[in-house]
Amino acid sequence: MLQISGKDNVLFKKVKKLKQKKYREIEQLFLAEGVKFLDFSTTPNYIFIDEEFDLSLIEQELEKFQCEKYILSSGLFSQLSSQENSQGVILVYSYEKYSLDNLENNIVVLDKVSDPGNLGTIIRTVDAAGFKDIILTTGSVDCYNEKVIRSTMGSIFNARLRYMNEDEMVMFLKDKDYRLISTALDKNSVPYTEIKLKKKNAIIFGNEGNGISKSILAVSDEKVIIPIYGSAESLNVGVACGIILYKIREII
């Protein structure tokens, strides 16, 4: 296992830049932090380990990956870490690119969801409920943001994410005969328990503050609502996603 101790190391400088979205997109690489990521079968490009970490704890996990592995000085490792109390392991993965040719019949659409924690939770929920495909409209948070990755708890490897322009997305789904079902606080919305599904359905969730755009609502085939029985103004988008997806799982 190689050791990096100087901040001018070419690889270290390259990986440190991945903390910024523009460099992630250039390199098509992202960071995932934590021992948990060693449990997954997806092979990383690099593994970086804090020099103070007890390697004996993860020897077997490390052996299964045929990739470059490095020991970093604690000072350098802290520059890559995004966690206050890091576990001492950071992995670097390649982006996954998915075409639109193999979408499942039931998909999730996120319209400008902006909070990294919410997106991570939704990806994890989509995975838990047995779905695969997520389309995000332009303006949504970067799915390879470090907080998103951490919040997915590894489900990032089980979800197929694609970004599309809003108009392009609507045209594509309509052309492929998807039923557009929007979650909305609207007078014409029906309770989610009365949701009507076709063979192919796109379940749409909106921005945390503004909801789904008016242009998407205007072409939606159905609008659904989760009743609020208490005094809360609304539900967190991640929670709403879980409630509705599990209802759909009961039906299909």
Side-chain angles (χ1 to χ4, degrees):
M1 193 173 296
L2 301 173
Q3 183 145 1
I4 297 176
S5 55
K7 62 181 177 63
D8 292 326
N9 178 275
V10 174
L11 178 60
F12 173 76
K13 288 164 65 175
K14 171 184 172 180
V15 172
K16 185 179 177 182
K17 287 182 177 180
L18 299 179
K19 298 180 77 65
Q20 301 177 55
K21 179 183 177 181
K22 67 176 181 178
Y23 289 109
R24 289 196 295 271
E25 292 181 342
I26 291 170
E27 300 291 345
Q28 296 288 286
L29 298 170
F30 68 95
L31 301 170
E33 184 168 359
V35 173
K36 173 132 185 103
F37 284 93
L38 295 173
D39 295 337
F40 300 104
S41 60
T42 303
T43 300
N45 296 60
Y46 312 104
I47 299 176
F48 296 94
I49 302 168
D50 190 326
E51 63 182 356
E52 296 183 358
F53 187 87
D54 184 354
L55 280 174
S56 66
L57 298 175
I58 57 172
E59 281 180 339
Q60 288 186 326
E61 288 84 352
L62 289 175
E63 286 177 2
K64 70 182 181 181
F65 295 119
Q66 300 301 311
C67 66
E68 297 180 26
K69 307 175 184 76
Y70 296 88
I71 300 292
L72 289 182
S73 67
S74 293
L76 294 184
F77 188 89
S78 66
Q79 293 181 47
L80 296 186
S81 175
S82 62
Q83 299 182 21
E84 190 171 331
N85 297 302
S86 176
Q87 294 180 329
V89 178
I90 292 174
L91 302 89
V92 179
Y93 294 95
S94 293
Y95 277 24
E96 290 287 351
K97 295 293 184 183
Y98 301 102
S99 75
L100 291 165
D101 297 331
N102 59 345
L103 286 177
E104 293 189 340
N105 285 345
N106 292 286
I107 69 172
V108 171
V109 174
L110 304 178
D111 182 30
K112 297 179 179 62
V113 168
S114 61
D115 182 83
N118 281 340
L119 177 55
T121 298
I122 290 170
I123 292 171
R124 188 177 175 185
T125 301
V126 167
D127 183 22
F131 299 94
K132 287 279 187 186
D133 295 303
I134 302 174
I135 294 177
L136 302 99
T137 61
T138 304
S140 298
V141 65
D142 175 21
C143 65
Y144 294 115
N145 175 295
E146 290 173 82
K147 187 174 180 180
V148 174
I149 299 300
R150 185 165 65 250
S151 299
T152 70
M153 292 295 287
S155 288
I156 188 70
F157 301 125
N158 301 324
R160 299 189 293 234
L161 295 105
R162 306 159 178 88
Y163 285 82
M164 296 182 73
N165 170 274
E166 181 182 309
D167 293 337
E168 178 189 9
M169 180 269 294
V170 168
M171 289 178 60
F172 172 80
L173 293 179
K174 288 287 189 180
D175 182 63
K176 297 299 181 180
D177 202 30
Y178 278 86
R179 180 171 174 81
L180 271 55
I181 302 173
S182 292
T183 54
L185 298 171
D186 187 275
K187 64 180 182 179
N188 296 318
S189 294
V190 300
Y192 77 99
T193 51
E194 299 175 16
I195 194 168
K196 295 179 180 66
L197 303 177
K198 288 177 57 178
K199 181 180 179 181
K200 299 168 73 173
N201 306 281
I203 317 303
I204 308 171
F205 301 90
N207 174 269
E208 293 85 348
N210 301 315
I212 296 170
S213 73
K214 291 181 180 178
S215 58
I216 292 179
L217 287 176
V219 296
S220 295
D221 299 296
E222 185 172 43
K223 289 174 275 191
V224 298
I225 188 171
I226 300 172
I228 301 292
Y229 298 109
S231 301
E233 183 179 291
S234 63
L235 285 170
N236 171 276
V237 64
V239 173
C241 180
I243 291 171
I244 291 178
L245 290 188
Y246 271 86
K247 183 60 184 179
I248 291 172
R249 177 53 62 192
E250 289 179 6
I251 298 171
I252 61 177

